[in-house]
Amino acid sequence: MIRPLTSHTGAEVVGLDLTEPLDDALRDRLNRAFIEHSVLVFRDQHLSPHQLLSAVQLFGEVFPQHNTRFALPECPQIHYISNQDFFPDGKRYIPGEGYHTDHSNAAEPPKATVLHAVQLPDHGGDTQFVNMHRAYETLPPAISARIDDLRAVHVYQSRHSERKLMGLSDAARQKVPDAVVHPLVRTHPESGRKAIYLNPIRIEGLLGMEECDALALLDDLLAHATQPQYEYRHRWRQGDLVMWDNRCLLHKANGDYDMRQVRYLYRIMLKGDVPV
Ligand code: SIN
């Protein structure tokens, strides 16, 4: 059973054990639900890394994540998200803070990201998602006409980003493009709906636009897109597996909990297409 979590984003898939084989009809139904709801939540899964790896392949092929320092040694396609890592200057690293879409600095960014909760704080640490289809569809027509043909330059770490990322190793850096250009409005390859494709962490500028104008426009779009009416906020429970669509959502983690408590999740991504 698929139970919507809001009118626009998120659905819980009830009564499924992802360690069990699924038939083609159910697999198709889940893939359709993913396109319709953009976030799927599976409760009480408790998967090992290898079980997670085989479960997510119901939805696509694994995308190689960029910062290999977070790879699990026993299953490197899976990375971990943890609040127990520190920058070289001693500051705590909270992965995923600030709205973003994953790995948009790739020529073919991942269509989906999956997180599986292993250890959680008692309170807080929610993940917020906002629906960029809804954000696009509710823009004033003059703004959508202005942005429809704009193109954005994405890099690993934008110099305009307030959030600093953990540096890449030399080997990882060689595999990551210096810069890629993607449309600011993309069309979902499966639903045909348009979405604003923003990423404050990675967008360095807009082609053909002065930096101050581009930054002002990007800020306005972000403020519009992150209004509560476009949001699904996921309150994690132990064993949750959450998969989201990076082509039409922004998401952010919240570092609002007691940092003496561990927040640890497995993360895996699925390959996507060139945004158009
Ligand atoms: C991420 O941005 O991939 C992590 C989100 C989270 O930890 O909630």
Side-chain angles (χ1 to χ4, degrees):
M1 187 180 85
I2 310 245
R3 192 172 68 83
L5 293 164
T6 72
S7 62
H8 51 82
T9 307
E12 187 175 328
V13 181
V14 182
L16 207 68
D17 175 351
L18 287 169
T19 63
E20 299 287 325
L22 301 187
D23 64 29
D24 288 351
L26 187 50
R27 185 191 178 120
D28 287 352
R29 190 156 163 236
L30 291 174
N31 274 285
R32 282 199 307 277
F34 179 59
I35 302 310
E36 184 180 349
H37 299 286
S38 310
V39 180
L40 292 184
V41 176
F42 303 81
R43 305 276 189 197
D44 300 317
Q45 296 300 318
H46 309 288
L47 305 179
S48 70
H50 284 99
Q51 286 173 320
L52 174 60
L53 184 60
S54 55
V56 300
Q57 289 178 62
L58 291 168
F59 296 97
E61 266 179 78
V62 174
F63 173 95
Q65 299 179 62
H66 289 169
N67 204 335
T68 47
R69 74 172 68 211
F70 300 113
L72 300 186
E74 71 275 29
C75 189
Q77 288 125 309
I78 297 184
H79 286 198
Y80 69 84
I81 293 281
S82 165
N83 64 339
Q84 301 299 313
D85 286 324
F86 294 85
F87 285 107
D89 66 2
K91 197 166 169 271
R92 190 183 294 272
Y93 178 58
I94 305 293
E97 274 197 310
Y99 274 110
H100 64 286
T101 178
D102 286 331
H103 287 44
S104 67
N105 59 317
E108 296 183 359
K111 70 171 184 177
T113 300
V114 179
L115 289 185
H116 183 34
V118 178
Q119 197 171 343
L120 296 170
D122 295 339
H123 306 284
D126 300 347
T127 307
Q128 286 168 263
F129 299 94
V130 284
N131 188 311
M132 303 303 278
H133 289 315
R134 294 297 300 132
Y136 178 77
E137 289 158 1
T138 54
L139 282 174
I143 305 288
S144 44
R146 181 174 175 216
I147 67 170
D148 265 343
D149 295 322
L150 291 177
R151 291 160 67 73
V153 179
H154 296 242
V155 296
Y156 178 70
Q157 164 82 74
S158 166
R159 68 199 151 89
H160 310 298
S161 171
E162 282 170 20
R163 178 182 145 213
K164 296 300 163 218
L165 298 173
M166 196 68 98
L168 294 169
S169 67
D170 289 344
R173 192 172 304 111
Q174 282 172 15
K175 295 192 183 148
V176 173
D178 290 339
V180 295
V181 174
H182 293 312
L184 187 59
V185 176
R186 67 181 291 185
T187 302
H188 196 289
E190 292 171 82
S191 69
R193 285 174 82 188
K194 287 182 167 187
I196 312 174
Y197 193 53
L198 272 187
N199 193 347
I201 312 235
R202 314 258 193 205
I203 292 185
E204 190 77 339
L206 297 177
L207 290 184
M209 197 179 280
E210 291 293 335
E211 184 171 288
C212 59
D213 295 338
L215 294 179
L217 175 60
L218 293 168
D219 280 353
D220 287 350
L221 291 173
L222 186 67
H224 168 73
T226 55
Q227 295 178 81
Q229 65 264 36
Y230 309 132
E231 178 186 297
Y232 165 63
R233 182 173 184 126
H234 187 72
R235 296 187 168 79
W236 288 94
R237 293 187 211 156
Q238 211 73 38
D240 279 358
L241 185 153
V242 175
M243 178 170 89
W244 67 83
D245 192 331
N246 284 307
R247 299 165 292 190
C248 58
L249 298 175
L250 296 184
H251 65 279
K252 73 167 178 174
N254 281 280
D256 59 351
Y257 49 93
D258 179 350
M259 288 296 154
R260 290 168 301 184
Q261 298 188 353
V262 175
R263 183 178 185 274
Y264 184 94
L265 305 96
Y266 296 142
R267 180 170 76 171
I268 186 161
M269 293 180 187
L270 299 177
K271 285 184 183 172
D273 305 315
V274 175
V276 285

